[in-house]
Amino acid sequence: MRKISFYDTKPYDRIYFDELKAQYGYEIDYFEEKLNPRTAIFAKGSEAVVAFVNDDLSAGTLKVLYENGVRLIAMRCAGYNNVDVKYAQGKLQIVRVPAYSPHAVAEHAVGMLLMLNRRLHKACYRVKEYNFSLNGLMGFDLYGKTIGIVGTGKIGRTLNEICQGFGMHVLGYDLYETPDAGITYVSLEELYRQSDIISLHCPLTKENYHMIDSRTLGMMKKGVYIINTSRGSLIDSEALIAALKSGQVGAAALDVYEEESDLFFEDNSDTIIQDDVLARLISMPNVLVTSHQAFLTKEALQNIAEVTLSNMKAYFEGVKTGNEVTLQ
Ligand code: NAD
């Protein structure tokens, strides 16, 4: 049996991997710890490591893994901005799950938008206290509003379909346009200027780090809603706070946060959060933060397990799948 080390394990991660691992002939060591230079040694004796979005796959970690016999890193996610792909080249093969359920993420983005716009988070608490007042709960019709989708890949296009169903106007910006998607493509600046709601669905790269900052926030419509289910570092959080305080941004739905890796996925309810920026965002009535949860559906977890296990099988059999991460 091939031995696999699995990091940052939560009970929901195990369900489908446990169901499928025997048919692939893998023995999986599940670790609750995140992968980093200190925990990498746990993988000694394993041929492959399964890692996730908040694991640290910098050169220091990859060095320890490589020196201890690991040759394959199977990311159980699409993004790999946390992997030093350059360092891995020629030593470790990186594979990923490019698509597991664009619906899961797009539907979560819409759920957050509806919650913020119709103040459902407040309404829910009010009614639990038998407070049936409607004061302060007024939203707006999504019908007829303009949403700007940055990154019209699998998730962005799925969101487009949902928004078309609401009767919204959809503007898109992408480095590579999809002509038949029914999206009106404009420049990024036009998208910022014209959109009532802006939703981010592009990967995080060196070029678009903090693409939403004080300068670009200033181009947007006053009261714009911003949704980020992509990667936290696309937004300069301090600039977002200033824009929320001034009313330039009407509301923000954040499933990701630039400093999330030490906090998200963990129960911190008994500790004092040291991150004042995150604490300030969470304190605002027009900000909704979820803990990188957009992917969390049964369908997505099942697809993640199936594709991760078949990616590993293909690697061990010397077969290419197209899910290999290569240096751009
Ligand atoms: P995808 O590869 O299908 O689409 C990404 C699109 O972004 C592509 O069309 C690409 O051309 C475009 N793009 C790249 N750089 C860009 C830039 N600088 N400006 C504008 N567009 C750019 O990926 P996807 O499956 O749609 O996923 C999108 C992102 O969603 C992922 O990169 C990941 O960061 C995030 N994601 C988050 C969760 C979650 O749980 N919150 C889950 C899955 C994916």
Side-chain angles (χ1 to χ4, degrees), residues 248-294:
Q248 174 64 9
V249 170
L254 309 173
D255 186 50
V256 286
Y257 169 64
E258 50 185 326
E259 301 296 334
E260 71 178 48
S261 59
D262 291 335
L263 292 167
F264 281 20
F265 306 145
E266 306 303 330
D267 179 0
N268 286 287
S269 56
D270 225 8
T271 56
I272 306 296
I273 296 285
Q274 299 298 313
D275 185 329
D276 291 348
V277 174
L278 180 62
R280 185 72 178 104
L281 284 168
I282 290 173
S283 77
M284 292 185 173
N286 50 349
V287 174
L288 182 60
V289 177
T290 52
S291 177
H292 207 134
Q293 152 188 358

Side-chain angles (χ1 to χ4, degrees), residues 78-79 81 96 98-100 105 150-157 173-176 201-205 207-208 211 229-231 255-256 292-296:
N81 52 286
R96 67 181 186 121
Y100 38 88
V105 183
V150 181
T152 57
K154 291 173 286 296
I155 297 170
R157 290 200 302 274
Y173 170 76
D174 198 302
L175 304 179
Y176 306 96
H201 299 286
C202 54
L204 173 67
T205 62
E207 291 70 38
N208 64 16
M211 64 188 288
T229 57
S230 198
R231 284 293 180 267
D255 186 50
V256 286
H292 207 134
Q293 152 188 358
F295 73 98
L296 197 65

Side-chain angles (χ1 to χ4, degrees), residues 78 96 98-103 105-106 148-162 170-183 185 191 199-203 229-230:
R96 67 181 186 121
Y100 38 88
S101 173
H103 304 284
V105 183
I149 301 179
V150 181
T152 57
K154 291 173 286 296
I155 297 170
R157 290 200 302 274
T158 305
L159 179 64
N160 165 52
E161 286 167 16
I162 298 172
V170 180
L171 299 179
Y173 170 76
D174 198 302
L175 304 179
Y176 306 96
E177 300 182 0
T178 309
D180 302 326
I183 297 169
Y185 283 98
L191 184 148
S199 195
L200 304 180
H201 299 286
C202 54
T229 57
S230 198

Side-chain angles (χ1 to χ4, degrees), residues 100-279:
Y100 38 88
S101 173
H103 304 284
V105 183
E107 288 171 15
H108 189 78
V110 175
M112 294 181 95
L113 169 61
L114 288 170
M115 190 160 192
L116 275 176
N117 172 29
R118 304 307 298 270
R119 318 289 196 263
L120 299 178
H121 51 315
K122 291 183 155 203
C124 185
Y125 278 114
R126 268 189 203 185
V127 169
K128 285 213 184 293
E129 292 183 352
Y130 307 107
N131 174 355
F132 300 111
S133 160
L134 299 183
N135 291 333
L137 300 186
M138 189 164 58
F140 56 81
D141 286 6
L142 291 181
Y143 176 83
K145 295 296 180 300
T146 299
I147 183 163
I149 301 179
V150 181
T152 57
K154 291 173 286 296
I155 297 170
R157 290 200 302 274
T158 305
L159 179 64
N160 165 52
E161 286 167 16
I162 298 172
C163 292
Q164 301 282 358
F166 278 111
M168 302 175 80
H169 304 296
V170 180
L171 299 179
Y173 170 76
D174 198 302
L175 304 179
Y176 306 96
E177 300 182 0
T178 309
D180 302 326
I183 297 169
T184 305
Y185 283 98
V186 291
S187 68
L188 190 54
E189 191 171 328
E190 265 317 293
L191 184 148
Y192 287 151
R193 290 192 191 283
Q194 290 186 32
S195 302
D196 302 297
I197 299 146
I198 295 173
S199 195
L200 304 180
H201 299 286
C202 54
L204 173 67
T205 62
K206 272 193 213 103
E207 291 70 38
N208 64 16
Y209 174 81
H210 281 186
M211 64 188 288
I212 298 214
D213 60 10
S214 54
R215 187 184 67 86
T216 52
L217 284 163
M219 295 176 183
M220 295 176 193
K221 277 192 182 178
K222 192 163 176 66
V224 65
Y225 273 41
I226 294 180
I227 309 170
N228 189 7
T229 57
S230 198
R231 284 293 180 267
S233 296
L234 294 171
I235 299 183
D236 176 344
S237 306
E238 301 208 28
L240 177 64
I241 288 174
L244 282 157
K245 282 163 86 174
S246 73
Q248 174 64 9
V249 170
L254 309 173
D255 186 50
V256 286
Y257 169 64
E258 50 185 326
E259 301 296 334
E260 71 178 48
S261 59
D262 291 335
L263 292 167
F264 281 20
F265 306 145
E266 306 303 330
D267 179 0
N268 286 287
S269 56
D270 225 8
T271 56
I272 306 296
I273 296 285
Q274 299 298 313
D275 185 329
D276 291 348
V277 174
L278 180 62

